[in-house]
Structures are given as C-alpha cells and as structure tokens.
Amino acid sequence: MTDWIDIAPLENVPMRGARMVKTAFGCVAVFRTAEDEIFALDNACPHKAGPLAEGIVHGKSVTCPLHNWVISLETGRAQGADEGRVATYPARVENGRILLDRAFLRARVAA
C-alpha cells in the first residue's frame, strides 16, 4: 500500500513551471506541464547541480537555468549529447492536491 504525502494544491505550481518542496526527507522539485501533468525530481541538475525548479519547463522536459542541459521529466535523464540522470519520484494529483510517494522519498534518504 502506498503512503502519499499531500504537499500543495495544484494551483500553487504554475503551468509550465515548478516549485521546490522541502519535505522531511529532503528537497524535491515539482513540475507542472501545460497539460497539467505533475512530475517530481531531485532539484539538482546532474551537470553542476543547477536548481532545476528554476528552469524552463517545455513539453515533458526542463532546461537547467545554469548551463541549458535538458532533463526529461519522465525519466530524469539528460537529453541530447549530455549524459547524466536525476532521481524521479512518483507524483499524482488527487482532488486538486499534489501528492508525493513517501516510500520513494524515504529511499532517497537511505541511498
């Protein structure tokens, strides 16, 4: 059984935008696409740890604000010729609220 953490109302994350969320298990970047899809990733770019929550969301990707690396919101992998990956976390919207999977966040801390 999955235990979900309620972090915020959907409208707190702008369309094609992101917010950095501090949880008891660490900081996570939460992204919202133009199609109202929600994704959760580590907030540090695999290149030089740029703050991904401050990046530009386009389609199902985010561009790091420091060096323009493009990261897939679905897989956490760097796109194009760049190599690297950030952790992704299950996220969903229920009754207009954004939920994150507590077990995956706990695993992040243990790793």
Side-chain angles (χ1 to χ4, degrees):
M1 184 168 153
T2 302
D3 187 18
W4 296 91
I5 300 171
D6 183 330
I7 60 164
L10 178 62
E11 64 265 12
N12 279 13
V13 179
M15 292 184 91
R16 293 179 307 278
R19 292 288 183 259
M20 194 271 298
V21 177
K22 291 182 181 181
T23 75
F25 307 108
C27 297
V28 175
V30 176
F31 300 90
R32 181 179 177 189
T33 68
E35 292 77 31
D36 275 341
E37 294 176 286
I38 292 293
F39 296 93
L41 284 70
D42 278 343
N43 193 37
C45 177
H47 177 229
K48 300 264 183 175
L52 292 177
E54 296 175 22
I56 297 170
V57 176
H58 47 98
K60 293 185 182 181
S61 300
V62 61
T63 298
C64 178
L66 295 185
H67 301 102
N68 295 325
W69 276 40
V70 177
I71 307 297
S72 167
L73 296 174
E74 296 176 299
T75 66
R77 294 190 193 285
Q79 304 298 290
D82 298 322
E83 293 185 18
R85 183 181 178 282
V86 296
T88 60
Y89 305 100
R92 70 180 194 194
V93 177
E94 185 175 294
N95 299 321
R97 305 287 303 178
I98 300 170
L99 307 173
L100 297 180
D101 186 319
R102 183 185 309 266
F104 274 78
L105 293 174
R106 280 189 184 134
R108 173 184 188 256
V109 173

